[in-house]
Amino acid sequence: MTQDELKKAVGWAALDYVTPGTIVGVGTGSTAAHFIDALASIKHQIEGAVSSSEASTAKLKGYGIHVFDLNEIDQLAVYVDGADEINGQMQMIKGGGAALTREKIIAAVADRFICIADASKQVDVLGRFPLPVEVIPMARSYVARELVKLGGQPEYRQNVVTDNGNIILDVHNLKIIDPIRLEAAINALPGVVTVGLFGARGADVALIGTATGVQTIQ
Ligand code: 5RP
């Protein structure tokens, strides 16, 4: 199976976690896009969605699925999203698609985070994938210098402006032994909006696409 077929398999498998009559939290990226395709097949059974990016919102609306503002709702049963890396403790690196801040907000609201990923995303130690950090533009150089002090090599993601009007620094060469501590340290830097490290709030369920089928970890 190709990587995209594995992504499609987990995207559709995530439908099992959607309760009819509810609003569904929807992530961003190529795996989440398969989930949106799957969700469209049951669109008359759900109330609508909340979305983590303008791209996912456009795709949802294209299918005629109502997209709620997160401020309109006070409870969300599930959030379904992909990941760039996931470790054995269900902690993740996210933000390869630059949607990390909205993803983290919706993940915080949701009762359950369902991570959908092909098996290439599984790692023992997070950090091989460059860690995305969303930064207020005027703080770019300052935050980059502080990230060097934390042991990383930040790289400015060229020609990318987030949905919130900010920039992304991708931090290379990190071996993230203590994700919760590093998440707190980076989030504490003035000018940082969000780090794409989901350490404190990891996934509750991981659906992993493998050559032999979808593996469920919880
Ligand atoms: C977007 C994300 C995505 O979930 C992550 O980049 C995985 O993407 P894909 O499903 O395309 O491999 O965090 O900001």
Side-chain angles (χ1 to χ4, degrees):
M1 282 172 98
T2 65
Q3 189 181 24
D4 191 58
E5 285 167 339
L6 297 176
K7 291 180 177 192
K8 184 175 180 180
V10 292
W12 282 80
L15 276 190
D16 289 348
Y17 294 84
V18 173
T19 306
T22 61
I23 297 169
V24 183
V26 175
T28 296
S30 55
T31 317
H34 284 299
F35 174 64
I36 296 173
D37 293 337
L39 203 56
S41 73
I42 59 158
K43 67 179 180 184
H44 298 299
Q45 296 173 42
I46 60 168
E47 207 178 321
V50 289
S51 166
S52 60
S53 65
E54 299 300 329
S56 289
T57 296
K59 191 169 168 71
L60 286 159
K61 286 184 173 172
Y63 275 125
I65 296 173
H66 182 72
V67 179
F68 288 84
D69 183 311
L70 188 64
N71 294 302
E72 295 178 85
I73 66 168
D74 51 19
Q75 202 258 340
L76 186 66
V78 292
Y79 175 55
V80 178
D81 198 1
D84 298 302
E85 283 186 348
I86 181 164
N87 69 11
Q89 289 70 49
M90 309 283 260
Q91 297 165 313
M92 297 163 286
I93 286 181
K94 293 184 44 53
L100 58 161
T101 298
R102 296 185 188 193
E103 292 173 343
K104 215 175 231 195
I105 294 167
I106 300 179
V109 175
D111 295 336
R112 290 173 98 196
F113 187 132
I114 315 297
C115 175
I116 48 175
D118 66 88
S120 72
K121 307 292 184 65
Q122 288 181 300
V123 297
D124 291 329
V125 178
L126 297 170
R128 191 180 58 206
F129 189 92
L131 177 65
V133 183
E134 180 167 354
V135 177
I136 302 283
M138 73 170 283
R140 187 185 79 204
S141 298
Y142 164 70
V143 170
R145 288 193 296 274
E146 295 300 309
L147 290 169
V148 170
K149 289 181 195 165
L150 289 171
Q153 282 189 324
E155 183 186 7
Y156 174 41
R157 200 183 294 182
Q158 298 286 338
N159 304 319
V160 170
V161 177
T162 70
D163 286 346
N164 314 306
N166 299 311
I167 61 107
I168 298 283
L169 294 174
D170 292 305
V171 191
H172 296 254
N173 294 340
L174 288 172
K175 197 172 172 192
I176 307 174
I177 306 296
D178 188 343
I180 294 177
R181 211 167 100 180
L182 186 64
E183 181 178 15
I186 296 177
N187 274 337
L189 296 172
V192 167
V193 178
T194 314
V195 60
L197 197 47
F198 285 58
R201 203 283 183 251
D204 300 295
V205 177
L207 302 177
I208 305 296
T210 74
T212 52
V214 175
Q215 184 192 355
T216 304
I217 305 170
Q218 51 195 350

